[in-house]
Amino acid sequence: MSNTDNRCRLVLIAPDIADVESRVQILGDALRGGDVASVIVPQYGLDEHAFQKHAEALVPIIQKAGAAALLAGDTRVAGRAKADGLHVTGNAAELAEAVEKFSPKLIVGGGNATDRHHALEMGEIRPDYVFFGKLDGDIKPEAHPKNVALAEWWASMIEIPCIVMGGTDPQSALAAAESGAEFVALRLAVFAQPDQAAVIVGQVNALLDEKAPRFEE
């Protein structure tokens, strides 16, 4: 059993699959692989009705696995689908609006912190976390060096937790963990081979158990 209390934990970004049943099955399989702190469900290209249908199917699966279900997209859907929180991909003003409206009832975090200035702007809003990278930013095997560097700077001085977007290689989770980030997000690294998703989640947890730095109590 993983000891995840004092090390970087895994966040999954739900894959872009149009068929609800396939998406539920693939995500459910992945969640059986080991510890997952939360799952971010992007709206991708879905309209509000389709996004709600997907969210209502996925949220219970995520919550049953002990993870937090965070929706990135239409905020009205989050309430209807009984999600745990919102992931805001817009600017600081949009994040501030979401925090004011939904926090502390829902978890509210944000991405789009492309540099230190924008990160600090977001930090002043006091979200539940800041996300370094884009939800679909896993285009290379390794995590983007800029995001890892931002996380290292952030983790050394700010108490608000951060999530770093990993790369397409599951091993990229370690570089994110070594930055001091509380969470690493993976998408294609886990879901590019759906039948291997559970195995990969297990392997990433084993890697983090063995090699991730431990946070000071």
Side-chain angles (χ1 to χ4, degrees), residues 114-200:
T114 49
D115 53 36
R116 291 185 178 193
H117 171 71
H118 285 94
L120 289 172
E121 264 189 351
M122 294 195 152
E124 284 171 11
I125 298 162
R126 309 296 298 174
D128 292 296
Y129 65 85
V130 168
F131 189 99
F132 293 112
K134 293 181 176 174
L135 297 181
D136 58 356
D138 49 348
I139 52 176
K140 292 186 174 176
E142 65 281 353
H144 196 296
K146 185 180 80 167
N147 296 329
V148 175
L150 278 168
E152 195 167 342
W153 159 77
W154 180 269
S156 69
M157 54 180 267
I158 312 274
E159 286 187 2
I160 298 167
C162 69
I163 304 175
V164 181
M165 186 68 209
T168 57
D169 184 341
Q171 299 280 327
S172 66
L174 186 57
E178 287 171 346
S179 73
E182 287 82 1
F183 304 97
V184 55
L186 295 179
R187 186 179 66 125
L188 294 178
V190 171
F191 296 111
Q193 298 173 276
D195 57 332
Q196 293 296 306
V199 173
I200 293 166

Side-chain angles (χ1 to χ4, degrees), residues 3-4 24-26 34 41 45 63 74 89 107 131 134 149 151 165 167-169 175-177 181 211:
N3 174 23
T4 58
V24 164
Q25 185 180 348
I26 289 165
V41 181
Q63 293 170 338
D74 194 310
T89 56
I107 298 166
F131 189 99
K134 293 181 176 174
M165 186 68 209
T168 57
D169 184 341
K211 296 187 174 173

Side-chain angles (χ1 to χ4, degrees), residues 5-174:
D5 297 343
N6 64 345
R7 64 138 169 96
C8 182
R9 293 179 69 197
L10 179 59
V11 170
L12 294 180
I13 296 170
D16 186 2
I17 299 170
D19 180 67
V20 178
E21 288 176 14
S22 299
R23 208 175 182 200
V24 164
Q25 185 180 348
I26 289 165
L27 185 59
D29 286 347
L31 288 165
R32 282 191 279 279
D35 176 69
V36 173
S38 60
V39 179
I40 299 173
V41 181
Q43 188 161 349
Y44 294 118
L46 299 172
D47 62 29
E48 182 190 343
H49 176 73
F51 184 44
Q52 183 166 332
K53 188 179 169 189
H54 277 243
E56 286 173 350
L58 292 170
V59 165
I61 302 287
I62 295 165
Q63 293 170 338
K64 190 178 175 187
L70 309 176
L71 301 190
D74 194 310
T75 56
R76 292 167 297 188
V77 171
R80 296 182 202 136
K82 298 183 171 55
D84 299 291
L86 301 169
H87 177 85
V88 180
T89 56
N91 58 24
E94 288 174 55
L95 180 62
E97 189 182 326
V99 167
E100 190 178 331
K101 197 170 175 184
F102 298 106
S103 185
K105 193 167 72 122
L106 296 177
I107 298 166
V108 180
N112 212 13
T114 49
D115 53 36
R116 291 185 178 193
H117 171 71
H118 285 94
L120 289 172
E121 264 189 351
M122 294 195 152
E124 284 171 11
I125 298 162
R126 309 296 298 174
D128 292 296
Y129 65 85
V130 168
F131 189 99
F132 293 112
K134 293 181 176 174
L135 297 181
D136 58 356
D138 49 348
I139 52 176
K140 292 186 174 176
E142 65 281 353
H144 196 296
K146 185 180 80 167
N147 296 329
V148 175
L150 278 168
E152 195 167 342
W153 159 77
W154 180 269
S156 69
M157 54 180 267
I158 312 274
E159 286 187 2
I160 298 167
C162 69
I163 304 175
V164 181
M165 186 68 209
T168 57
D169 184 341
Q171 299 280 327
S172 66
L174 186 57

